[in-house]
Amino acid sequence: RYNFLRRTGFGFGLEQVSERVEPFAGLRASGYLIADAGLYHDFNSRARVQLQVTNLANSTYVTSIHFAARVGHMPGQPRAVMLT
């Protein structure tokens, strides 16, 4: 997080996960890297507006592996934009 003005700033984050293997069925999920960013402005000590974008590159990735191949994998969230 970096404030480039007294009450305005931005934040940036990375999440990196390595390849995983489910131990009972031997199912694999490849690793992934996703990036998030946000821009915010504090109006006072009790009010802030924030724009946040998650999964900037809109990557397709697996967040968890289920124990059976017929169940499949749990996909990660696609790009999302939030204004709060």
Side-chain angles (χ1 to χ4, degrees), residues 2 26 33 35 42-43 46 54 56 61-62 74 77 82:
Y2 176 74
L33 174 69
D42 292 325
F43 292 103
R46 299 184 330 177
T54 58
L56 285 168
Y61 61 99
V62 173
M74 181 67 66
Q77 182 177 349
M82 297 170 278

Side-chain angles (χ1 to χ4, degrees), residues 10-66:
F10 71 92
F12 182 78
L14 295 172
E15 179 180 348
Q16 190 275 325
V17 176
S18 299
E19 180 181 65
R20 287 110 44 220
V21 177
E22 194 280 328
F24 300 107
L27 300 173
R28 294 184 177 279
S30 58
Y32 62 88
L33 174 69
I34 56 173
D36 302 332
L39 178 66
Y40 63 90
H41 178 76
D42 292 325
F43 292 103
N44 55 44
S45 63
R46 299 184 330 177
R48 167 187 280 186
V49 65
Q50 180 170 324
L51 176 67
Q52 183 176 359
V53 180
T54 58
N55 192 0
L56 285 168
N58 202 25
S59 301
T60 300
Y61 61 99
V62 173
T63 58
S64 66
I65 308 167
H66 295 291

